[in-house]
Amino acid sequence: MNIKNYINGEYVNPVSDSWIDNYNPSNGEIYGQIPNSINEDVENGYKAAKNAFLSWSETSLDERSKIMSKIAQLITEKLPELAAAEAKDNGKPLHVAKSIDIPRAAANFQFFANAITQFASEAHESVGHNAINFTLRQPIGVVGCISPWNLPLYLFTWKIAPAIAAGNCVVAKPSEITPMTAYLLGEILTEAGLPKGVLNIVHGLGTTTGQAIVAHPGIKAISFTGGTQTGAHIAKVAAPMFKKLSLELGGKNPAIIFADCDYDEMLQTTVRSSFANQGQICLCGSRIFVEASMYQKFKIDFIAAVSKLKVGNPFDTSTDIGALVSRPHLEKVKKYIDNAAQYGGKVIFGGATVSVDNSEDGYYLEPTIIEVQDNSCTLNQEEIFGPVVTIMPFNDENEVLAMANDVSYGLSATLWTNDLKRTMRVSKQIQAGIVWVNTWLLRDLRTPFGGVKNSGVGREGGFEALRFFTEPKNICIKYN
Ligand code: TXE
């Protein structure tokens, strides 16, 4: 089937009539085509957005909120169809798409439908000057949202929802590797009554379509989630035009396990934080550090728990680990495993590709555990972004903190301990945007979300996202 662009409220073919193959990761087959959009398509999206802006930015908060709630409701109603499309397009288990991806996409719209009705700005009285200042937070205009393939509709809507809630109009591009649910969103937007042009969805490659969005002088802000190298490139293109940027990039997150933790809960959650979504979540704990006194026990139990995970077809209800998203990505991940010795580690579990019955050409890989000796090795320094974790022991708090921070990334960290003082000390010193203590991926959408160092700049979530998608203006009134 052919996916189309959604511009000015209509599904349209790309102007060049050029198409890209869309693959099903579970069996390696091409099952559709997506637009290979060029500058003109982005320009059409931009024009539609620009035309819609004045009216949308003046639309009352109640009305915006009502339309966004309707979008959330329709996503929920169409959950089975959307989840099946996501599992087929991405390779993730259907039950994951049903319980995580699609409910969260609905929650993103519902959350910002509510949040915009509570968003407020500040006033500063200039005492002694007979003047009052207030801050007007105005929408930016036309903004660009570019999202990746690991949590397709989830991350696409995480950007779009705050952008339109704040009164902007959007040109958005989902990943060319997983375009399907963004395509299906178009009909939901129409059904919900979102005015034409408020949200335009343009499909295509990063280097052409994505690049056209980033380089467009009329698109004043870019919210991007994806690889660190791509983020650096986007920053370079956007900087001379002084665009506002929110970049959520890669991670190489530490999971720090102290011997005083609640062991069973830690073990169960660490299996999840390592391999959920085939390890393709920027928040996965990919470097596991375990206190030396417990290391051998952890190693045995962790291998035993991971060996129970079933790799299989995304549509098989017993599947824990589905297919990786694409053949090139599988090859990239496999390269780290095959060169483990050279990169400083030893594979102690998994490491092989898996042939799944009736899906022999799918991109399946065993969950893989690699033991490393030194945090400076390649395996602990580079983002692998697959079902691969490293483990190594540590002796004390200072040593593990130094190792946790000795990496170019700084997105999230997970800490397992029951010692309150240690929790505070480590949490404060760890270089990351998010620290989970005795849990993982517990998300409250009001919290600031993003990373430090090479994991990006800016924060998404809650009012942070609404601040990003608005321009503050100070108005100073002298009254005497
Ligand atoms: O991402 P890209 P890729 C990491 C992960 C992965 C690596 C590369 O380590 O192996 O990044 O993945 C669009 N201008 N993450 O290459 O290319 C692209 O079309 C504008 C972590 O698949 O960064 C897609 O829509 N846009 C990450 C989006 O950027 C461009 C999730 C992301 O793709 C562009 C995914 C350009 N020049 C991968 N080039 C996370 N933080 O969660 C590409 N794009």
Side-chain angles (χ1 to χ4, degrees), residues 155-477:
L155 290 177
F156 192 61
T157 54
W158 180 232
K159 298 182 177 305
I160 286 162
I164 65 173
N168 301 282
C169 293
V170 180
V171 180
K173 190 191 93 62
S175 169
E176 62 274 28
I177 303 170
T178 53
M180 189 51 95
T181 46
Y183 166 66
L184 296 173
L185 184 66
E187 61 197 46
I188 291 175
L189 302 176
T190 304
E191 198 177 332
L194 187 73
K196 286 175 190 290
V198 172
L199 175 50
N200 304 279
I201 303 170
V202 185
H203 296 270
L205 301 173
T207 45
T208 50
T209 320
Q211 177 79 18
I213 293 173
V214 176
H216 196 295
I219 297 177
K220 299 291 184 200
I222 303 289
S223 174
F224 169 81
T225 298
T228 293
Q229 276 188 345
T230 314
H233 173 78
I234 288 175
K236 229 188 257 173
V237 176
M241 288 175 273
F242 308 106
K243 295 191 183 201
K244 256 183 133 175
L245 279 184
S246 168
L247 304 174
E248 201 271 277
L249 310 175
K252 190 72 184 177
N253 312 307
I256 302 172
I257 301 169
F258 285 95
D260 72 330
C261 68
D262 290 336
Y263 189 80
D264 292 342
E265 201 183 336
M266 175 280 295
L267 190 66
Q268 228 181 8
T269 308
T270 304
V271 171
R272 213 162 50 81
S273 67
S274 302
F275 301 113
N277 208 44
Q278 297 69 247
Q280 302 168 144
I281 304 181
C282 51
L283 304 162
C284 278
S286 52
R287 294 182 294 150
I288 303 175
F289 299 103
V290 187
E291 194 163 3
S293 61
M294 204 180 65
Y295 184 71
Q296 288 307 326
K297 175 176 167 53
F298 173 81
K299 189 165 137 182
I300 292 164
D301 293 345
F302 188 52
I303 290 175
V306 174
S307 69
K308 293 197 188 109
L309 297 176
K310 189 180 160 229
V311 179
N313 187 289
F315 287 87
D316 182 341
T317 48
S318 64
T319 291
D320 298 300
I321 298 190
L324 269 67
V325 77
S326 69
R327 177 152 302 281
H329 189 60
L330 172 71
E331 282 163 7
K332 176 193 148 179
V333 175
K334 193 71 175 47
K335 209 173 92 194
Y336 283 100
I337 297 171
D338 294 345
N339 294 304
Q342 183 194 333
Y343 291 159
K346 182 173 164 222
V347 176
I348 57 169
F349 183 81
T353 50
V354 179
S355 177
V356 169
D357 285 348
N358 302 319
S359 308
E360 284 76 10
D361 291 327
Y363 318 136
Y364 300 99
L365 183 61
E366 288 175 330
T368 302
I369 307 170
I370 304 180
E371 191 170 42
V372 295
Q373 304 299 329
D374 192 324
N375 181 59
S376 64
C377 70
T378 304
L379 291 164
N380 263 33
Q381 294 295 317
E382 295 185 8
E383 185 180 42
I384 300 175
F385 214 65
V388 180
V389 288
T390 69
I391 63 170
M392 69 175 286
F394 68 86
N395 292 307
D396 62 47
E397 189 180 310
N398 287 337
E399 182 197 9
V400 76
L401 243 175
M403 291 194 294
N405 286 338
D406 185 17
V407 72
S408 63
Y409 296 100
L411 189 54
S412 72
T414 306
L415 175 60
W416 290 93
T417 181
N418 277 313
D419 182 330
L420 182 60
K421 291 178 181 167
R422 177 155 63 199
T423 298
M424 268 317 294
R425 283 194 304 268
V426 176
S427 302
K428 266 187 88 168
Q429 290 178 79
I430 209 133
Q431 294 162 0
I434 304 151
V435 181
W436 278 295
V437 182
N438 299 329
T439 185
W440 176 73
L441 204 54
L442 198 165
R443 293 279 294 118
D444 181 325
L445 302 189
R446 293 169 302 175
T447 59
F449 179 84
V452 298
K453 294 162 52 177
N454 289 4
S455 293
V457 289
R459 292 292 181 273
E460 303 186 280
F463 290 162
E464 294 286 344
L466 295 176
R467 286 186 198 107
F468 174 75
F469 282 116
T470 51
E471 201 66 75
K473 181 186 283 172
N474 171 232
I475 299 181
C476 176
I477 304 173

